[in-house]
Amino acid sequence: MSTDTLPAKETAAAPAAVSPGGRNTLRSRRRRNALLTLAFMSPWLIGFGFSFAYPLLSTLYFSFMKYDGLNPPEWRGLGNWTYVFTEFPQFWPALRNTLWLGVVMVACRVLFGLGVGMLITKIKNGAGVYRTLFYLPYLAPPVAATLAFVFLLNPGTGPVNSFLEAVGVPAPSWFNDADWSKPALTVLAVWGVGDLMVIFMAALLDVPKEQYEAAELDGASPWQRFRFITLPNISPIVLFAVVTGVIGAMQYYTQPIVAAKVASGKMGGSGEVFVPGYPDDSTLTLPQLVYNLGFSQFNYGAACVVALVLFAFSMAFTALLMRRRGGLIGSGD
């Protein structure tokens, strides 16, 4: 039988055998490519290892140890975790305050920043002046800005309460009242919203004008244009603002502790011990607990536990926002 009459499977050419020398050449080429890839990735790998992986693993290790920074660490097992979750009274108030700030303060900053950005993009005359005025508060140092706000919101002599009393509105005690301290911190955060304003302005100016013109011809209302044109186009920027805002709220330290110190009149000078959280643990956050446990009480094991809880919540919030980004920013369908 000739090969012309054989089935296709039988006439197909068999793959050429690779010689041992060819295999060695192929392995050598793959090895060189892998080494070249590692060489290009080495700056990131070194930074990741020393700046993230090693500190994270060390924190996890010391969370199971009794360690005061002076004596060698001793194995304690779950003792630090049990102490933080069941015996340390300030942990749960700090956790609730941190979550409150991560939700309410971030939402207010994003909404206000987006609103100011949309307003300035609509202004035709003097937009640069307004842009500068809204951005300048963001440049103020956190300590100086907090000091100014504490004096402005002083319940006895502050101009804000004096104005509220003059118009017949009950004046709150702000940083001296546990119910108003976190809203006061939110007002401070919204005052410095210039960074989000600039980011949202850049995103809004990139929205194609042709889409707005087509929507106007179809009779779309301003809300419909915002809902179905503006939001879908700037959705990555909204997500970026929310994620970075949540991470920043999880690291919120300077403003609440400065406000608590000034409002309480205890600046923590020489020989004076200041317990963070005034009034009534309402300004206490998890980063403050990490510092207080580690550098004031020299309980590094418990401080590492709080740091890991903070890390876990930051990762969980970020993963949830990234996974649910469609519900967060809406859909343009």
Side-chain angles (χ1 to χ4, degrees):
M1 181 181 295
S2 64
T3 58
D4 296 339
T5 60
L6 291 177
K9 289 184 178 180
E10 297 181 9
T11 59
V18 180
S19 63
R23 291 195 190 96
N24 293 334
T25 302
L26 184 60
R27 290 197 191 101
S28 178
R29 186 180 300 125
R30 289 176 177 172
R31 189 180 300 112
R32 286 197 302 269
N33 291 337
L35 292 175
L36 184 62
T37 302
L38 286 175
F40 279 110
M41 293 180 62
S42 59
W44 180 86
L45 291 174
I46 294 173
F48 177 82
F50 283 97
S51 301
F52 181 79
Y54 174 72
L56 179 61
L57 293 176
S58 298
T59 303
L60 182 62
Y61 168 77
F62 283 113
S63 69
F64 298 101
M65 296 290 174
K66 180 182 179 181
Y67 183 53
D68 58 3
L70 300 175
N71 301 308
E74 299 177 5
W75 177 257
R76 196 181 179 187
L78 296 176
N80 292 323
W81 295 82
T82 303
Y83 169 72
V84 168
F85 284 104
T86 62
E87 301 175 22
F88 190 53
Q90 290 184 309
F91 172 75
W92 293 108
L95 179 61
R96 287 193 296 268
N97 295 336
T98 304
L99 295 178
W100 191 98
L101 294 170
V103 175
V104 178
M105 186 177 70
V106 172
C108 292
R109 274 180 52 84
V110 171
L111 293 175
F112 191 76
L114 178 58
V116 173
M118 294 181 63
L119 178 64
I120 294 182
T121 55
K122 301 297 182 181
I123 297 177
K124 296 182 179 180
N125 298 322
V129 176
Y130 290 106
R131 186 164 55 242
T132 303
L133 291 176
F134 277 104
Y135 187 75
L136 279 177
Y138 174 71
L139 301 178
V143 175
T146 307
L147 288 173
F149 256 75
V150 172
F151 287 112
L152 286 173
L153 301 178
N154 187 285
T157 60
V160 173
N161 278 15
S162 299
F163 172 77
L164 293 177
E165 292 174 356
V167 297
V169 177
S173 297
W174 300 109
F175 290 109
N176 294 93
D177 188 345
D179 295 330
W180 283 93
S181 57
K182 287 189 289 292
L185 289 172
T186 303
V187 173
L188 172 60
V190 169
W191 177 72
V193 79
D195 57 332
L196 292 184
M197 176 204 69
V198 172
I199 294 174
F200 282 129
M201 283 181 57
L204 291 167
L205 292 175
D206 283 340
V207 179
K209 295 183 179 179
E210 296 80 7
Q211 296 183 11
Y212 289 118
E213 294 172 356
E216 290 180 2
L217 291 176
D218 289 339
S221 64
W223 167 249
Q224 290 174 327
R225 293 197 295 271
F226 173 78
R227 173 69 175 81
F228 296 105
I229 297 177
T230 304
L231 267 184
N233 278 281
I234 68 170
S235 59
I237 308 302
V238 175
L239 181 63
F240 169 80
V242 174
V243 170
T244 54
V246 168
I247 295 174
M250 293 293 159
Q251 301 172 352
Y252 206 50
Y253 176 84
T254 303
Q255 290 87 336
I257 197 167
V258 171
K261 284 186 176 183
V262 178
S264 65
K266 299 178 180 179
M267 298 302 294
S270 178
E272 185 178 11
V273 178
F274 173 76
V275 179
Y278 176 86
D280 298 331
D281 293 336
S282 61
T283 58
L284 188 64
T285 59
L286 290 180
Q288 294 181 42
L289 284 191
V290 174
Y291 181 87
N292 190 39
L293 285 170
F295 298 100
S296 295
Q297 302 182 24
F298 298 101
N299 190 347
Y300 289 100
C304 288
V305 172
V306 178
L308 288 173
V309 172
L310 188 60
F311 172 76
F313 271 100
S314 299
M315 293 297 294
F317 265 106
T318 303
L320 178 63
L321 291 173
M322 296 295 292
R323 186 176 180 84
R324 303 291 299 177
R325 58 186 180 275
L328 173 69
I329 58 182
S331 173
D333 297 339

